[in-house]
Amino acid sequence: MKIRNLLILFCGVLLLSSCGYNTIQQNEEAVFSSWADVEATYQRRADLIPNLVSTVKAYAAHEKETLTEVVNARAKVGQTNISVDKLGDPAAMQQFQQAQGELSGALSRLLVVVERYPDLKASENFRDLQHQLEGTENRINVARQRYNAAVKTFNTSIRTFPNNLTNKFLLKLERKEPFKADAGAATAPKVTF
């Protein structure tokens, strides 16, 4: 009788250890963790992209302003010519010198920018923004794929024998849905300049 009880107890322990209870729990936690990664990646995008766009816009505006001043001053110099017969006219000479002075001032501001920043940075910032956008979208895609892999593992674990019995009688967990993006549901921010 004792041997029979020990055999029943041994079979019970063996069955419980191979019933998949812990595996199912671990797989469900992996699904939750993977989904949190998807949400975190979306949050990263929501935080990062508007800040990058603002930075690029501000820098591009600064460069545009500096270059516009130089172009306008240069155009004034081109329009303000002094002919040989007006070299004695103080008003014409004053106008010519004023135009040259404006160009010199604009060029000196440009030189200060160039000294601080050896090359103008707007195009580089645009490239960096493009790389960040691409990298962010890739991270989101990887997070979605990992989530879907975790869902597949979990769904398989609750549907295969003997885990399906453990789930049916003990856990009663439902299948998890894989990520299926609706058109426009997870739309990336539109970047406009």
Side-chain angles (χ1 to χ4, degrees), residues 6-110:
L6 278 171
L7 188 60
I8 291 173
L9 181 63
F10 177 74
C11 288
V13 169
L14 186 62
L15 283 175
L16 284 177
S17 67
S18 65
C19 72
Y21 183 89
N22 290 335
T23 302
I24 293 171
Q25 297 295 322
Q26 291 167 347
N27 291 342
E28 186 177 39
E29 288 302 317
V31 169
F32 296 150
S33 175
S34 295
W35 182 248
D37 290 344
V38 169
E39 289 178 329
T41 310
Y42 277 129
Q43 186 63 49
R44 179 187 182 275
R45 178 175 68 184
D47 294 343
L48 177 70
I49 300 306
N51 291 331
L52 285 173
V53 170
S54 296
T55 302
V56 170
K57 276 184 174 180
Y59 207 100
H62 170 70
E63 285 184 9
K64 180 181 177 184
E65 179 183 316
T66 304
L67 293 173
T68 301
E69 286 179 24
V70 171
V71 168
N72 289 342
R74 196 179 116 232
K76 261 188 187 176
V77 166
Q79 293 170 355
T80 308
N81 290 327
I82 209 166
S83 62
V84 177
D85 60 321
K86 294 203 175 192
L87 286 176
D89 183 0
M93 189 60 98
Q94 175 70 26
Q95 186 180 9
F96 181 77
Q97 285 178 324
Q98 183 179 356
Q100 293 296 332
E102 286 179 22
L103 179 58
S104 294
L107 285 172
S108 68
R109 284 189 295 280
L110 179 62

Side-chain angles (χ1 to χ4, degrees), residues 37-38 40-42 44-45 48-49 129-147 179 186 188-189:
D37 290 344
V38 169
T41 310
Y42 277 129
R44 179 187 182 275
R45 178 175 68 184
L48 177 70
I49 300 306
L129 173 62
Q130 187 177 15
H131 291 295
Q132 286 292 338
L133 288 170
E134 181 182 350
T136 298
E137 293 306 313
N138 285 340
R139 286 178 187 203
I140 289 170
N141 189 45
V142 167
R144 288 176 188 159
Q145 290 172 341
R146 288 179 180 161
Y147 169 75
F179 188 88

Side-chain angles (χ1 to χ4, degrees), residues 170-191:
L170 294 175
L171 298 172
K172 300 180 183 351
L173 298 173
E174 297 292 322
R175 291 182 72 232
K176 307 295 183 208
E177 283 299 312
F179 188 88
K180 298 175 199 167
D182 294 335
T187 303
K190 296 200 183 306
V191 180

